[in-house]
Structures are given as structure tokens and as C-alpha cells.
Amino acid sequence: MTAIVNISLKNGVLDSQGKAVHHALDSLHFEGIKDVRVGKQIILKIDSDDHDKVRADVTQMCEDLLANTVIEDYDIELIK
Amino acid sequence: MKVAVLQFPGTNCEYDTVYAFKKLGAITQVIWHKEESLPEDIDLVVVAGGFSYGDYLRSGAIAKFSPIMKAVKEYANNGGKVLGICNGFQVLTEARLLPGALKRNESLHFISRHHNLKVVANDNIFLEKLSVDDVINVPIAHHDGNYFIDAEGLEELYTNNQVLLKYTDATGKISNPNGSVDSIAGICNKEKNVFGLMPHPERAMEILLGSDDGVKMLEGFLSA
């Protein structure tokens, strides 16, 4: 099973990277962009088919290591 | 006075820190991160600056799981004094020994230069040799020094005099190099035994090298 973890800065935490990318896109004259957020994606290949257990394990990984929950949110997607 | 200075793979300020505390008359010992315990009779643990484990995931995120950090947590929870400088500050926030987090600098640039700091609170052992509103000059050298804490946490910091230092200009007027909330450069925990700051007092020990304002900061620990 593959677990895709998307990590992004929480709403209300200024995303300087997103701001810089937004500014660059504006300079390139791409129009109508309201906001840009930059995050990171961590893809885990896990040797298990137990959906619930994998979700619980990956959640624990996020809480302990993958994300800093003081400033970041995470989202887990599981693919068979 | 005995000081233990932690060394992770990628730490690069441990010997500056040793130099600084030796100059003040302390006995120092560098402790490798694989150690599971701290020497018994120490008075202070310093988590030195650098790039622990390359800071590959986030600054300080992997170092917090080093064997020695379990001992540091226990030491701190029993009232032992801990000082985190730069990457050490990041490690202590990741380990939740200090509140908040350190984000990428708002400019996205690595900043390396001398900066002025204003003392905000001195009712703690670290800054007791300085006076509130004193302006000191100490080097900063970081990519992730943008201190963040939510509004509620910030209020708590102020209520308990946990905000220790702010970035200013030479006259004490706020001058924020990295986007930190309220220009905060250093804090302590509620119990005032765990301290963290991004600037490097251990690199401000000699006039010849630009400033010796670090002496007054670090010697606070020797008065215990």
C-alpha cells in the first residue's frame, strides 16, 4: 500500500515560499491567482494491506516526526 | 561549574561553545548524541548550533530522537538548566521543551551578520547580569530563525516573562531580520530553566572578533 502524506503550513501561518512563488507568477503575467501555498509531499510504500492499521501508523509518524503540528497540517491519502 | 555541550552529526558550534565557557572558567565536556546519559554532576547542558543530521526534514526534527535527548528531557524536567543556541533552539522547540517553532526566514535567505538585541526580561539566570532594555550586539547565522507561536501562546510568554530577547537596531528600536513574531530572538520555558535563542553569544566573546557581549549573557549561568 502507498501512503501519500501532504504537509502544509497551517492557515494563519505566513507561507514565505508561497508568497515568493505567487510574486514570480505575477511577474510572468499569469492572471487571477488568488493565493499560492507551498507544501511538501512524502510518499511511503508500506508492506501491508491493513488500511486502518496503516492509517493509524502513518498518523503517528506525522505526529512524531513528519510534521511539526505547531505550524503544519498534514493530510494522509492511502492507495492500494 | 560544569557544562555539557551536545554534539550531533552536523553540529558545528560545539567548540566555540567550549571556548566560551572555558574562558568564563567552567569545565566543559562535549557529549556525543549516541550517549544515553548525561554526566552526573553537570550544572548546564548546551545544545550547540549547526545543522543536526543536515536538518534534512526540518531543522532539529531528527535530532530530537537522538538517545541523548531523552536524558536531556529528563534533566530539564527535573529542573536542570538547558541552553539551546541556534540549531539547539530549533531542537528544543521540536522536542517540545520550549514552546513555538522556527520557520524559514521570511526573506527565504540565510542571514549571517551581527545584529543588535534588546533584553526584554532578566528575571532568569541566563540574563540576570544584564538589565532590561540593554542593547547588545551578537552574531546571527540562520536560515530557519523565524520564530512562530500562536496568539494564545504569545500572550502566555509575555505573562510569564518568557520573552527574553528581541531583534532591534543599535538604539533599541525593533528591527526584525527574519519575520519572527514580535521580533522575538530568544525565549525560555515557564519554569525558567530551559532557554533558547537564535543569536550566537558563544561567538561574541572577544572584542577582536567584533563583540564580547556574549560574556555578560553566558556568565549568568556561572552565578548559580
Side-chain angles (χ1 to χ4, degrees), chain A residues 9 12-17 19-20 40 42 63-72, chain B residues 57-58 61-62 64-65 93-94 96 100-108 146 148-149:
Chain A
L9 286 169
V13 177
L14 180 74
D15 179 355
S16 311
Q17 250 183 311
K19 235 171 89 179
K40 66 183 143 195
I42 299 174
E63 292 287 332
D64 289 350
L65 176 67
L66 301 182
N68 179 344
T69 55
V70 175
I71 46 173
E72 292 170 328
Chain B
L57 178 67
R58 286 182 312 277
I62 297 177
K64 72 176 166 183
F65 294 111
T93 57
E94 281 282 346
R96 302 287 197 265
L102 291 141
K103 292 167 49 197
R104 182 59 35 109
N105 293 340
E106 197 171 295
S107 66
L108 303 175
N146 181 350
F148 176 84
I149 190 162

Side-chain angles (χ1 to χ4, degrees), chain B residues 37-166:
Chain B
S37 61
L38 290 161
E40 267 186 10
D41 52 349
I42 52 166
D43 304 291
L44 173 70
V45 173
V46 181
V47 191
F51 301 88
S52 52
Y53 295 90
D55 290 338
Y56 293 132
L57 178 67
R58 286 182 312 277
S59 297
I62 297 177
K64 72 176 166 183
F65 294 111
S66 268
I68 195 63
M69 282 310 293
K70 212 177 148 196
V72 171
K73 271 190 184 177
E74 219 176 277
Y75 179 77
N77 290 336
N78 288 326
K81 288 184 279 295
V82 180
L83 170 67
I85 302 171
C86 198
N87 190 227
F89 184 15
Q90 294 160 343
V91 173
L92 294 179
T93 57
E94 281 282 346
R96 302 287 197 265
L97 283 170
L98 286 171
L102 291 141
K103 292 167 49 197
R104 182 59 35 109
N105 293 340
E106 197 171 295
S107 66
L108 303 175
H109 295 141
F110 191 100
I111 306 169
S112 178
R113 60 180 154 95
H114 275 258
H115 208 287
N116 293 293
L117 307 171
K118 188 170 78 174
V119 176
V120 179
N122 68 346
D123 57 341
N124 57 76
I125 187 164
F126 179 26
L127 299 181
E128 67 177 14
K129 302 270 178 187
L130 291 151
S131 304
V132 170
D133 289 339
D134 274 359
V135 176
I136 50 179
N137 187 277
V138 175
I140 57 172
H142 58 247
H143 209 169
D144 297 318
N146 181 350
Y147 183 71
F148 176 84
I149 190 162
D150 61 20
E152 199 184 321
L154 183 65
E155 204 187 308
E156 200 172 315
L157 287 185
Y158 281 119
T159 307
N160 302 321
N161 280 350
Q162 290 171 255
V163 176
L164 304 182
L165 296 158
K166 288 189 177 185

